[in-house]
Amino acid sequence: MQLLKWVLNLLLVCSMLQVFPLPLAQTICSEADRAALLGFKAKILKDSTGSLSSWVGKDCCGGDWEGVGCNPTGRVNTLALQIPERDSTLYMKGTLSSSLGSLQFLEVLVISGMKFITGPIPESLSNLSRLKQLVLEDNSLQGNIPSGLGRLSFLQTLSLAGNHFNGVVPLSLGNLRNLVMLNLGRNSLTGSIPSSFKNLVHLQSFDLSFNLLSGFVLEFLGQFHNITFIDLSNNQLSGHLPVSLFNLVTLSDLSLSHNQLTGSIPDQVGNLKSLTSLSLSHNKLIGPIPASISRLQKLWSLNLSRNGFSNPLPAISSKGVPSLLSIDLSFNNLSLGTVPNWIMDRQLSDVNLASCKLRGAFPKFRPDSLSSIDLSSNLLTGTISTHFTNMTSLQKLKLSNNQLKFDLSELKVPDGISSIDLHSNQVFGSLSSILNNRTSSFLEVIDVSNNLISGTIPEFTEGLSLKVLNIGSNKIAGQIPSSISNLIELERLDISRNQITGTIPASLGQVVKLQWLDLSINRLTGKIPTSLLGIHSLRHANFRANRLCGEIPQGRPYNIFPASTYAYNLCLCGKPLQPCKGKNQEMAQ
């Protein structure tokens, strides 16, 4: 039996060798292709990725040339050089060589995430007649998109996103009838969406976001019956939402936010049975939100904020939009009074109902799933001290611009919270509770400005993650603790309009990531310490209306800030103010 199995296996191997004969010799790459690749390498002046250092020797098809692939005849058919998005340290610097257009058998060209490859797309790339994928994302390419790319009839993927291209989108791209994915996002393209795009009937992903495109959202988008992703956000598109758009039963993600769209949402929105994410925020849409939206069984993210939508909200049953996790109806013309039950009773992760004219006591949400709450700019009253105790997933809390009145020292928030914004309420008490070790180890943002908070600024321990600390416009007294140097991640500090006394601690100069500093309208004395010259990232500072005296630190940016930065102090001097007494003009300069 073992002998029989061995014979059968031998026969199988022999038959496979006849179908797939072993190569007689290793395939050596074409000399013309090797020269074209070296032409590309010559135009790259610096390569911190190290990829091109492997391009040595005569055989570019041997597997040693990183990113290069070949077909069985030794012709280069793949060039793929890509840096992961999360790695911000690697890059290439240079331009794209026209020699790439000589790679006649190229099917895949990916040069992505290199950051500092500049210049235009070479016209010669239009000669790559076999090309199926062209991806030049996240470089610094510029100029117009060559119209000749419209000759690449086999192209299935075209992505030029994240560059500096300008001018209009070429009409010729409408000739690419095999395109499945088109991404021209994050450039500076102008003009309208070409009418020739109606030919791209096989598109599954369509992204023109973050450009300067104008004109209308054209009806022909409704003909893209295979499409799953449309992002036209952050442009200057106008006009009504085309009804045809809402018959795309395969569409899962639709974003038209940050445009100038008008009119209302068609009732046909309920036909988008595959839709998971809908964003129409920052437009000029009006009217009620259609009740048919409740039929969207897969919808998990709904963002209709910053429009002109008005009452009534649709009466949605407990079985409507069953997958909903995130909702944003902020800054419309809604007068809700209370949070609707179909929002209150769900296990949502994000609830954003800012400026919805909510009144009365803070609503009691289901505590087990919420990670972000924004109920700012409403008319909420009373206390919130114990509402968040069981919200173990809560990370962001924004309740600014309400009429909440409670003792800050009694506020209980979960340990993992990263952002607390309570500015412009009637909060009183001290800062000690939200700046203790347990609570603030994960906190990145604290804004309790424009309240009635008193007491002193507590000591800052090591290990804090704060990036923003805004306690301005309160009744806080005492001194700035020297332990402020422990806030090594701090980017914005505002303690203005309080009753802070003492000197500015020299240790503040160790907060080297600081970009915004406001110490104005307090009772600070002494000099502005020269140690602050060590904060090289500072873009804004305000020392106005204190009791400071002495020479302003004579170095950038302090000596080039406007004079108003230092106005209404006792005796500050030096640029940009008058020279200090006892120093001649030359020294003052």
Side-chain angles (χ1 to χ4, degrees), residues 83-98:
I83 296 176
E85 286 184 19
R86 60 183 178 274
D87 196 331
S88 60
T89 61
L90 303 179
Y91 63 91
M92 287 185 184
K93 186 175 184 179
T95 58
L96 293 181
S97 171
S98 59

Side-chain angles (χ1 to χ4, degrees), residues 419-455:
S419 177
I420 298 175
D421 185 352
L422 301 172
H423 82 260
S424 303
N425 279 283
Q426 300 171 32
V427 180
F428 56 93
S430 70
L431 294 168
S432 57
S433 62
I434 60 170
L435 284 172
N436 63 38
N437 293 346
R438 181 187 64 82
T439 303
S440 56
S441 56
F442 295 98
L443 263 175
E444 295 183 355
V445 176
I446 295 176
D447 188 345
V448 290
S449 60
N450 197 23
N451 277 288
L452 304 171
I453 297 168
S454 56

Side-chain angles (χ1 to χ4, degrees), residues 256-372:
L256 300 173
S257 61
H258 292 267
N259 279 289
Q260 299 170 20
L261 300 174
T262 54
S264 58
I265 300 177
D267 193 57
Q268 288 88 338
V269 67
N271 297 337
L272 299 176
K273 61 182 183 180
S274 300
L275 201 64
T276 60
S277 178
L278 175 62
S279 180
L280 301 175
S281 66
H282 289 80
N283 279 288
K284 300 176 181 179
L285 299 169
I286 59 172
I289 299 166
S292 62
I293 212 161
S294 65
R295 302 205 306 264
L296 301 178
Q297 297 290 299
K298 297 183 179 180
L299 189 70
W300 64 267
S301 177
L302 176 64
N303 189 346
L304 305 179
S305 63
R306 296 185 184 273
N307 280 284
F309 294 118
S310 54
N311 286 18
L313 274 190
I316 296 178
S317 69
S318 58
K319 296 182 179 179
V321 281
S323 304
L324 195 64
L325 292 174
S326 175
I327 186 167
D328 192 343
L329 304 178
S330 302
F331 297 101
N332 281 286
N333 290 328
L334 296 169
S335 297
L336 298 186
T338 58
V339 179
N341 288 336
W342 63 270
I343 296 177
M344 289 281 291
D345 297 339
R346 292 174 187 272
Q347 286 189 317
L348 299 175
S349 62
D350 301 284
V351 174
N352 302 281
L353 299 174
S355 188
C356 286
K357 293 186 173 63
L358 298 173
R359 298 175 179 274
F362 187 83
K364 293 185 178 180
F365 294 100
R366 294 184 61 168
D368 40 2
S369 58
L370 273 173
S371 64
S372 175

Side-chain angles (χ1 to χ4, degrees), residues 141-177:
L141 299 170
Q142 56 210 104
N144 294 341
I145 297 174
S147 60
L149 296 183
R151 299 201 299 268
L152 304 178
S153 56
F154 289 105
L155 210 59
Q156 297 174 9
T157 298
L158 174 60
S159 180
L160 308 177
N163 285 285
H164 304 304
F165 294 118
N166 52 30
V168 300
V169 180
L171 277 168
S172 62
L173 297 187
N175 298 329
L176 304 176
R177 295 173 181 268

Side-chain angles (χ1 to χ4, degrees), residues 504-512 528-536 553 558:
I504 302 171
S507 58
L508 182 60
Q510 299 174 39
V511 188
V512 294
I528 300 174
T530 56
S531 63
L532 268 58
L533 289 169
I535 308 175
H536 301 298
Y558 302 93

